[in-house]
Amino acid sequence: MKSGSNLEKILKAGHFAFTGELGPPRGTSAEEVRKKAAHLKGKVDAVNITDNQTAVVRMASWAACIILIQEGLEPNYQMVCRDRNRLAMQADILGAYAHGIRNMLCLSGDHCKFGDHPHAKGVFDIDSMQLIQMVKKMRDEGKFLSGSELEEPPKIFIGAAANPFADPFEWRVHRLAKKINAGVDFIQSQCIYNMEKFQEWIKQSNEMGLTEKVYILAGVTPMKSVGMAKYMKNNVPGMDVPDEIINRLKGVDKKKQGDEGIKIACEQIEQFKEMKGVSGVHLMAIEWEHKVPEITERAKVLPRPQVD
Amino acid sequence: MIVGKRKPFEEIKEMLKKYKKILNVGCGTCISVCLTGGEKEVKILNAELEMARKLEENPIELGASCVERQCDREFLAELDPIVEDYEAILSMACGVGIQFLAERFPEKPVLPAVDTSGLAVNQDVGWYEERCRSCSSCVLAWTGGICPVTLCAKGLYNGPCGGTDKGSCEIDKDQPCAWYMIYERLAGQKRLDCITNIQAPNEWEDQVPRTLLHHGYKKRNHSDKN
């Protein structure tokens, strides 16, 4: 075991993993985190806590992670390279581990331009690839990036993202290989709507033997409405939303669009369960945490397995 | 070359409001080539300032000069005899020139008329694009001659990120993705192996003021200003 986290145990035991996501509040309310967490408890194996997502200031990811641990859930601590340099990152990793955080997701981060402080200085002292390497070095060699020794290394299960839908498509599988070489243990993909393209990427990953070296969790975000689908298609960078998804949502009554979105998500999850090279699903129910019990029920992923 | 943009007129006017006699100094090299602070631009700015101050019934006397390079001591020496006649100096050079001018005349307020925007190429008349951040550790050998430090909005050494959209950067559809371009160029040259290995974190050399002293040269004392 690299970390002994619940997520690692579930994946190692060969179960189909199911992770969720929670966005911390734009304020100091621990209660809000607890409320959102209550919807996810017992329904997912670990919960990603976003780090100033879309470059908008929120409660620190590590802080919300600690609240989650208090509530009996396992967090997956997201860390972006945009907001801190290598000193701050390593310090936060040590502190996070000291508080019981065992999973991390290493990301570049959305550009500041998208957020509430568009002219903030983006740090990017290191990038997501180098962040993966750094965490691995801390964990496996007991050394900081500088090479100096650290006491009681943080045993972190290292995650990263992959977006098979961003250009150039031919390079995406090689980028995955690079992340594996950097030391990543699991991947959570960008939200998938174009199943054909995702299948092609997984096929390439299988052929290169990559899926034997890393656990891939397929990203799923249920559409709440046609408006959301159109927004994702036109405004979210690197998102591939085929017209058939939009048309399917359009085809139902406005009040039923959310239900149709969940139906599409559940159909996708069924396919992922059978897809070679896919080890689980990462459900990003954006500001829809209260729907997770229903989604997990309908996706037939309950009860969650217990592994000791 | 170094390019820059003239500061907004109102900002320049505000900086000068308490002075009655100003020397405006242009620079004949980069900043002149990019049509921002050469001889012609000095004259135009002076005319605008003169007119505006006259309308405000607070006339100003403006001298005009344009030295070959404000970043070179020998050219700044030309100003020695005339500077004394003025209350302050306005510089239309880049940030480098402005500072060297201020260093030469420490008793005079030296004010910037230009915002320096970077090291850029001349795409066409009046059109300049940044290409170098002078990071002191050039990676162009393995990035197909395209700088990710400058042209990738996140300065990634192991791109492209997940925000690449049909060859554009996530920040702007009109901004090409540096890593998409790097991939395309290296693929065309059959040199993709250049980016299959992970590039280690950069050891930033630009976190302190840098000095370049070539081998065989010495730091000479310039107390006589020449």
Side-chain angles (χ1 to χ4, degrees):
Chain A
M1 281 286 167
K2 290 169 175 168
S3 69
S5 77
N6 183 52
L7 182 60
E8 182 182 8
K9 284 182 196 162
I10 296 242
L11 286 165
K12 208 169 176 216
H15 294 295
F16 190 78
F18 202 84
T19 54
E21 189 158 304
L22 188 156
R26 300 250 304 140
T28 58
S29 174
E31 203 39 47
E32 197 180 321
V33 180
R34 289 184 214 283
K35 266 187 201 160
K36 283 184 172 181
H39 299 300
L40 297 162
K41 195 169 182 180
K43 313 294 179 195
V44 293
D45 305 319
V47 181
N48 286 38
I49 305 293
T50 52
D51 180 14
N52 286 345
Q53 66 186 98
T54 61
V56 169
V57 179
R58 291 168 183 277
M59 182 188 287
S61 175
W62 61 261
C65 283
I66 294 170
I67 299 172
L68 235 75
I69 293 172
Q70 291 165 356
E71 295 300 299
L73 286 91
E74 178 169 288
N76 181 14
Y77 173 29
Q78 294 195 185
M79 183 184 274
V80 299
C81 299
R82 180 194 58 228
D83 304 333
R84 41 179 95 61
N85 70 6
R86 60 191 82 178
L87 275 83
M89 287 174 141
Q90 292 177 100
D92 282 352
I93 292 164
L94 297 181
Y97 185 78
H99 279 286
I101 292 166
R102 296 292 178 266
N103 307 303
M104 251 188 86
L105 194 74
C106 306
L107 306 165
S108 301
D110 295 317
H111 196 273
C112 291
K113 199 187 161 181
F114 296 105
D116 60 347
H117 294 71
H119 294 287
K121 181 168 180 170
V123 181
F124 301 110
D125 177 25
I126 59 173
D127 63 25
S128 60
M129 202 74 73
Q130 296 159 346
L131 173 56
I132 296 166
Q133 261 185 334
M134 185 170 81
V135 184
K136 185 177 161 65
K137 188 172 184 168
M138 292 171 80
R139 181 189 70 191
D140 295 349
E141 297 175 37
K143 283 180 179 163
F144 290 111
L145 185 60
S146 63
S148 53
E149 306 274 330
L150 73 86
E151 291 160 23
E152 298 184 35
K155 298 294 178 191
I156 299 277
F157 195 43
I158 308 169
N163 184 3
F165 311 107
D167 297 318
F169 178 69
E170 317 83 69
W171 186 248
R172 290 294 153 182
V173 71
H174 296 285
R175 189 164 159 75
L176 173 65
K178 261 176 109 163
K179 288 194 174 177
I180 293 169
N181 289 337
V184 78
D185 300 310
F186 70 99
I187 291 285
Q188 290 172 320
S189 88
Q190 173 69 286
C191 316
I192 301 157
Y193 298 103
N194 186 339
M195 292 295 277
E196 224 168 279
K197 203 163 194 179
F198 181 75
Q199 265 166 322
E200 176 55 30
W201 179 74
I202 278 288
K203 190 173 148 245
Q204 291 174 1
S205 307
N206 284 332
E207 283 166 4
M208 282 175 68
L210 302 179
T211 48
E212 285 158 30
K213 297 178 185 160
V214 71
Y215 300 109
I216 295 179
L217 276 62
V220 173
T221 292
M223 294 290 192
K224 296 179 188 175
S225 63
V226 175
M228 175 177 170
K230 282 186 179 165
Y231 182 83
M232 299 269 262
K233 184 184 175 78
N234 301 321
N235 300 82
V236 182
M239 197 72 76
D240 183 347
V241 184
D243 287 335
E244 59 182 273
I245 298 274
I246 294 173
N247 291 337
R248 208 173 135 180
L249 292 165
K250 266 185 190 164
V252 301
D253 185 72
K254 209 167 182 184
K255 281 182 188 154
K256 291 265 176 75
Q257 281 172 4
D259 188 68
E260 189 67 16
I262 293 174
K263 213 169 144 192
I264 295 170
C266 291
E267 289 167 16
Q268 286 183 299
I269 293 167
E270 286 308 321
Q271 286 190 55
F272 293 134
K273 284 179 192 170
E274 305 301 323
M275 207 177 282
K276 185 178 174 261
V278 175
S279 303
V281 158
H282 176 51
L283 178 72
M284 293 162 272
I286 304 162
E287 291 305 312
W288 229 19
E289 287 87 351
H290 65 279
K291 284 280 187 185
V292 172
E294 181 192 333
I295 297 166
T296 45
E297 186 70 48
R298 286 169 65 177
K300 302 186 191 73
V301 292
L302 298 178
R304 295 309 307 147
Q306 300 293 318
V307 183
D308 290 320
Chain B
M1 64 177 169
I2 299 174
V3 300
K5 197 179 171 189
R6 198 182 90 178
K7 279 182 174 288
F9 183 69
E10 287 304 316
E11 189 184 338
I12 297 172
K13 195 156 69 88
E14 179 67 22
M15 268 191 286
L16 302 181
K17 71 177 178 194
K18 63 177 179 183
Y19 302 111
K20 300 278 188 195
K21 198 173 178 188
I22 289 284
L23 176 64
N24 187 357
V25 186
C27 180
T29 309
C30 316
I31 214 75
S32 174
V33 176
C34 72
L35 312 177
T36 299
E39 200 176 349
K40 188 174 144 203
E41 290 79 23
V42 166
K43 280 185 188 157
I44 293 169
L45 177 57
N46 278 5
E48 286 176 61
L49 284 166
E50 213 171 332
M51 176 95 69
R53 290 284 289 261
K54 203 182 265 177
L55 287 171
E56 287 171 6
E57 294 177 355
N58 179 22
I60 185 169
E61 200 181 319
L62 291 147
S65 180
C66 186
V67 298
E68 186 65 30
R69 279 197 295 281
Q70 287 191 27
C71 57
D72 231 321
R73 205 171 257 115
E74 63 171 299
F75 297 113
L76 288 182
E78 295 165 25
L79 301 170
D80 290 353
I82 58 170
V83 160
E84 216 173 293
D85 300 339
Y86 297 91
E87 290 173 89
I89 310 172
L90 183 66
S91 169
M92 296 194 78
C94 69
V96 173
I98 298 166
Q99 290 184 64
F100 214 34
L101 191 62
E103 199 175 304
R104 188 165 188 97
F105 305 110
E107 68 284 359
K108 293 282 176 200
V110 172
L111 308 164
V114 168
D115 286 319
T116 306
S117 48
L119 305 178
V121 293
N122 196 343
Q123 280 285 23
D124 201 348
V125 182
W127 172 16
Y128 314 96
E129 281 178 0
E130 190 180 13
R131 286 291 185 271
C132 177
R133 289 272 167 95
S134 57
C135 72
S136 284
S137 25
C138 193
V139 297
L140 293 171
W142 55 268
T143 58
I146 296 164
C147 176
V149 179
T150 311
L151 294 172
C152 168
K154 298 175 186 173
L156 303 180
Y157 281 77
N158 296 282
C161 74
T164 319
D165 193 12
K166 298 177 193 77
S168 294
C169 174
E170 67 178 31
I171 62 157
D172 188 350
K173 281 194 168 57
D174 294 329
Q175 179 63 48
C177 165
W179 276 98
Y180 185 83
M181 292 193 291
I182 291 168
Y183 171 82
E184 290 286 307
R185 185 168 295 168
L186 290 175
Q189 296 176 355
K190 299 193 171 27
R191 288 208 299 146
L192 281 173
D193 58 306
C194 288
I195 53 170
T196 44
N197 291 329
I198 299 158
Q199 186 66 18
N202 190 22
E203 304 292 331
W204 299 104
E205 299 286 343
D206 59 354
Q207 302 300 297
V208 292
R210 288 163 284 177
T211 296
L212 170 66
L213 185 65
H214 276 303
H215 183 69
Y217 288 80
K218 279 184 190 154
K219 289 185 182 178
R220 286 183 293 167
N221 187 359
H222 288 284
S223 56
D224 62 348
K225 285 195 171 182
N226 285 303

